[in-house]
Amino acid sequence: MSATEWFQARLRSGEKSKVPVAPEGAAKSASKNAPKPSARPTAERLQATLRKADEALSPRALRRVLADLQAVIDPRVSEVEGGRRAHAIADAYRAATPDERRDYWALMSEHFAADAQKLKTARDQHQAAVGTPDEGQAELRLRRALVSPRMRLLQRFAVEPEGMRFLVDLRADLLPCLKADKRLLALDAELEQLFSTWFDVAFLELRRIDWDSPASLIEKLIRYEAVHDIKSWSDVKNRLDDSDRRCYGFFHPRLPNEPLIFVEVALVDRISAGITPLLDETAVPVPAARATTAIFYSISNTQNGLRGVSFGDSLIKRVVETLQDELPRLKTFATLSPIPGFRTWLAKNAGDLLPRLDEKREAELGRLVGSVPPTAERLLAAVDGAASLDAKSPLRQWLMQAAAEYLGRALVDGTPADPVARFHLGNGARVERLNWAGDPSAKGQKQSYGLMVNYLYDLKRLDKHRTWLAEGKVAVSGDVESLYFKKG
């Protein structure tokens, strides 16, 4: 079946295939629906005969699961046999209810930690050996003591071909429960540590995804697209059009048909100011050979279980290199990005921006909102329908200034407050331009009053911009800097 036939069949059947990764509010919703931890530690439950009301597995079943987990890392069995035993546990876990799965995590967390006494001894010996010829040997003993049985257990799950998929899904299950149950933090940290090694970019393959790719892979683009919803088969075909579009993803050998992250690129003749023309299926394409600018307009992570494992920076660099090899005329590499945290930030900080208005602007805004001086509440109410504001409106100017402040000066613990800005600025890009009505969709209005931003990847200045950010300074263009409010 061709991709076109497959999409037509899906559309005729009315089947919904869109499952965005980490949509707005998903984390909060998942946390609310997460299974609740038992009040008793597993050590106490294992000694009991009856379960309590908040416990999923009976003491007998709990003891059986613990024995199965311990058998996986039995030193008398080979790695292959340990992997086979782990595979059987994975099958049982998949068939378990959410509350029963929590019991699996609790057992892994509480019964497979590093030996506390051995760790203390090794740490004391290392501290005593610092600066002596025995320091290297003491460090080696400390490193060995830090390797928990839990780490070996998780490694055994990865022996089987489907083990990697299992562990990624297990962590995705686990993440929403961390806030409510701190006992799970060590298990989560070790999973993240393993994934950071197993999914290092050195082991990932960059592949282009186009209309000739398997239909099952194109379906995943629809499911995982997290920035601009794919509405139809013609929409996705337009995004994969060979003439002026490119799509690339990182793939892992153990998840061969599953893009871990993918980026959608438009080949154009200038930096784009709005998303609508880029998604317009009737727009006349710029021939790829004549394009001078590559616009990264959508980047989507697909695996919640790999949260904290960063490969977006490497993806963009690899894509830039690939595009430069294919299309030497490309000189400019930029994004057209949403500003997802802006409206929420402004609702909390509008009052702090008011004292930084000059007298003229304060009077103009006051007359428009019916309050001199203007109040934060009235200003926010006035800009709620931002799409209708005239180009010369002081309200529109104020909103653009506030967005510049948010992107260029709002830092949390030394990093940009906006999550998308944090990603691109952390990669060494700079805030290049703010675009009014860049995203007129309901989602764009809800997130940022419709504003979008271009981040420019100046390949010669990436390291310089990263250094600035480490020093608490955000790289911005002169146009964006000119929008800043005066210092308070």
Side-chain angles (χ1 to χ4, degrees):
M1 177 184 290
S2 69
T4 300
E5 292 170 337
W6 179 84
F7 276 109
Q8 288 173 333
R10 294 294 292 272
L11 291 171
R12 282 196 298 270
S13 69
E15 181 176 351
K16 300 289 185 182
S17 59
K18 186 176 300 300
V19 185
V21 172
E24 186 174 354
K28 292 182 180 178
S29 176
S31 296
K32 289 180 180 178
N33 297 325
K36 298 295 185 282
S38 170
R40 294 194 294 181
T42 55
E44 183 179 337
R45 292 175 60 193
L46 289 165
Q47 301 302 317
T49 56
L50 298 174
R51 76 181 103 186
K52 289 188 175 181
D54 63 345
E55 296 170 352
L57 292 176
S58 68
R60 181 178 179 182
L62 202 67
R63 288 191 289 269
R64 184 169 61 248
V65 172
L66 177 59
D68 290 342
L69 289 169
Q70 291 170 331
V72 170
I73 56 172
D74 187 327
R76 296 169 296 182
V77 304
S78 68
E79 183 174 315
V80 173
E81 173 60 18
R84 187 192 65 77
R85 295 179 181 186
H87 179 75
I89 294 174
D91 286 343
Y93 175 90
R94 293 188 186 98
T97 67
D99 286 319
E100 290 170 343
R101 291 181 178 188
R102 179 181 277 279
D103 283 341
Y104 279 76
W105 311 335
L107 289 171
M108 292 181 186
S109 299
E110 296 180 27
H111 296 271
F112 293 87
D115 187 299
Q117 184 55 51
K118 289 182 179 179
L119 185 55
K120 181 181 183 303
T121 300
R123 186 181 291 115
D124 291 343
Q125 290 175 346
H126 177 258
Q127 187 173 359
V130 171
T132 73
D134 295 329
E135 182 178 353
Q137 188 65 33
E139 180 182 344
L140 181 60
R141 286 194 294 269
L142 178 58
R143 288 181 180 275
R144 288 173 176 168
L146 284 166
V147 178
S148 69
R150 181 171 46 241
M151 185 72 83
R152 294 195 294 273
L153 175 66
L154 297 174
Q155 290 170 333
R156 287 287 172 89
F157 277 102
V159 171
E160 291 286 318
E162 292 299 314
M164 194 77 77
R165 172 80 274 164
F166 167 74
L167 290 175
V168 171
D169 289 345
L170 183 147
R171 185 165 185 251
D173 293 342
L174 178 79
L175 286 172
C177 303
L178 294 179
K179 188 174 182 179
D181 192 350
K182 303 301 184 184
R183 293 174 295 182
L184 304 177
L185 288 174
L187 172 58
D188 174 64
E190 289 188 332
L191 280 166
E192 183 177 344
Q193 180 183 346
L194 286 171
F195 291 158
S196 295
T197 300
W198 292 340
F199 290 90
D200 185 89
V201 293
F203 304 125
L204 303 182
E205 177 191 3
L206 180 71
R207 283 162 45 187
R208 182 175 170 189
I209 304 169
D210 57 26
W211 191 242
D212 293 326
S213 298
S216 59
L217 178 54
I218 297 176
E219 179 191 21
K220 290 183 172 68
L221 296 189
I222 297 177
R223 290 178 55 205
Y224 293 134
E225 168 59 55
V227 184
H228 303 293
D229 290 350
I230 297 175
K231 298 177 174 60
S232 66
W233 72 270
S234 58
D235 184 4
V236 73
K237 185 175 183 180
N238 178 57
R239 301 189 194 201
L240 300 177
D241 192 301
D242 188 63
S243 60
D244 66 339
R245 294 289 186 271
R246 296 292 185 272
C247 181
Y248 297 92
F250 264 152
F251 293 79
H252 190 277
R254 282 296 183 94
L255 303 171
N257 297 311
E258 192 84 20
L260 307 178
I261 184 173
F262 62 89
V263 59
E264 298 168 58
V265 187
L267 305 176
V268 292
D269 56 5
R270 63 178 66 89
I271 294 180
S272 302
I275 193 61
T276 301
L278 295 185
L279 300 182
D280 183 0
E281 298 167 24
T282 65
V284 178
V286 174
R290 291 171 49 194
T292 60
T293 304
I295 297 294
F296 302 91
Y297 65 91
S298 179
I299 302 174
S300 297
N301 287 289
T302 71
Q303 307 298 312
N304 284 336
L306 294 180
R307 191 177 77 184
V309 180
S310 177
F311 26 63
D313 175 20
S314 297
L315 173 68
I316 291 177
K317 288 181 179 176
R318 292 274 297 276
V319 169
V320 167
E321 292 170 356
T322 301
L323 289 171
Q324 285 180 319
D325 288 342
E326 179 190 356
L327 304 166
R329 284 175 59 94
L330 290 176
K331 302 300 180 184
T332 303
F333 300 89
T335 77
L336 180 63
S337 300
I339 316 174
F342 176 50
R343 182 185 277 260
T344 300
W345 176 86
L346 187 60
K348 297 177 181 178
N349 294 276
D352 295 334
L353 301 177
L354 293 180
R356 295 163 61 185
L357 293 170
D358 59 45
E359 292 183 6
K360 179 182 177 181
R361 182 53 55 84
E362 183 180 69
E364 289 176 337
L365 291 172
R367 285 193 296 271
L368 285 171
V369 302
S371 172
V372 181
T375 65
E377 292 75 17
R378 293 203 176 192
L379 275 174
L380 291 171
V383 298
D384 193 51
S388 62
L389 293 176
D390 181 80
K392 296 182 179 180
S393 168
L395 286 168
R396 174 166 165 173
Q397 179 68 12
W398 178 78
L399 199 57
M400 291 284 280
Q401 288 182 277
E405 289 283 335
Y406 174 61
L407 293 174
R409 286 177 169 173
L411 301 178
V412 178
D413 296 328
T415 61
D418 188 81
V420 177
R422 197 178 309 135
F423 173 79
H424 291 296
L425 296 174
N427 290 345
R430 82 177 184 194
V431 185
E432 183 67 11
R433 186 177 71 191
L434 281 165
N435 301 296
W436 183 263
D439 183 0
S441 70
K443 181 179 179 181
Q445 293 296 322
K446 182 178 180 181
Q447 290 184 335
S448 60
Y449 303 94
L451 272 64
M452 297 192 78
V453 59
N454 302 118
Y455 297 102
L456 179 69
Y457 279 81
D458 183 338
L459 304 183
K460 295 180 180 179
R461 300 191 178 207
L462 298 182
D463 290 338
K464 180 179 182 180
H465 293 163
R466 275 194 289 260
T467 299
W468 285 0
L469 188 61
E471 297 170 352
K473 179 183 177 182
V474 173
V476 302
S477 68
D479 288 343
V480 173
E481 189 173 16
S482 69
L483 291 170
Y484 286 160
F485 292 109
K486 66 181 181 181
K487 286 287 188 178

